[in-house]
Amino acid sequence: MLTDLQRRKMTRFFRVYDINGSGFIEESDYMRIAHNFAQMRGFKPSSTEYARLETKFQFVWDYMRKFGDPNRDYSVSLEEFLAYASSVMEDNYAAVEGSTGNFLFELIDGDSDGRITLDEFRLFYRGYDIQDTVVDHIFRKLDLNADSVISAEEFSQLGYDFHHSDDPDSPANWFFGPF
Ligand SMILES: [Ca+2]
Ligand SMILES: [Ca+2]
Ligand SMILES: [Ca+2]
């Protein structure tokens, strides 16, 4: 069972992934997010980077559909998503969300120096169409050791805590923006 706080965060997560605002998570949402990142990173449609990006988002969507779409209508409602979040995600976090987190980190870390700067973090939010105005504020919260960058360790900790923590003061609650 999700606590109230976890439910709020997972509802936020759902809204972020429903990037076309249809009220359901569908394959087209994942492809749009992949396309946004490809465009920002300058990946050409025929390139290996583009293919890898699409494959990754396709994998996550397939997984979501397999476990989060019990009525098999190729779209995941909020209700289905919250059920999925409370059951399956617990057991399979490392395989799905954890590995997606690592992939996202690489994607956002444009200069591949293993650290996310504020400018790189902006790409993350832009990829998901999260409002730009809140980025600076949230970046400071997420930079746990206040050294002006988000390290791979911080990023992975934040991703994990976003999904699992029930602490109202956890900075990770802000990972996908205001919740
Ligand atoms: Ca949608
Ligand atoms: Ca970097
Ligand atoms: Ca840091």
Side-chain angles (χ1 to χ4, degrees), residues 1 19-20 36-37 46 54 74 77 83 91 98 117 119 121-122 130-131 133 145 171-173 179:
M1 275 297 281
I19 196 169
N20 65 9
N36 282 353
F37 280 113
S46 54
E54 263 195 342
Y74 288 83
S77 65
D91 304 332
T117 60
D119 280 345
F121 191 76
R122 283 183 210 284
I130 298 172
Q131 268 211 346
T133 49
N145 66 354
N173 295 343
F179 58 99

Side-chain angles (χ1 to χ4, degrees), residues 18-26 29:
D18 176 21
I19 196 169
N20 65 9
S22 66
F24 297 89
I25 298 182
E26 302 121 323
D29 294 311

Side-chain angles (χ1 to χ4, degrees), residues 34-51:
H35 181 79
N36 282 353
F37 280 113
Q39 213 168 30
M40 288 186 305
R41 290 298 309 270
F43 298 161
K44 301 248 168 8
S46 54
S47 66
T48 24
E49 290 100 332
Y50 196 103

Side-chain angles (χ1 to χ4, degrees), residues 108-117 120:
I108 305 159
D109 181 15
D111 63 0
S112 305
D113 69 347
R115 308 166 336 150
I116 306 291
T117 60
E120 288 171 335

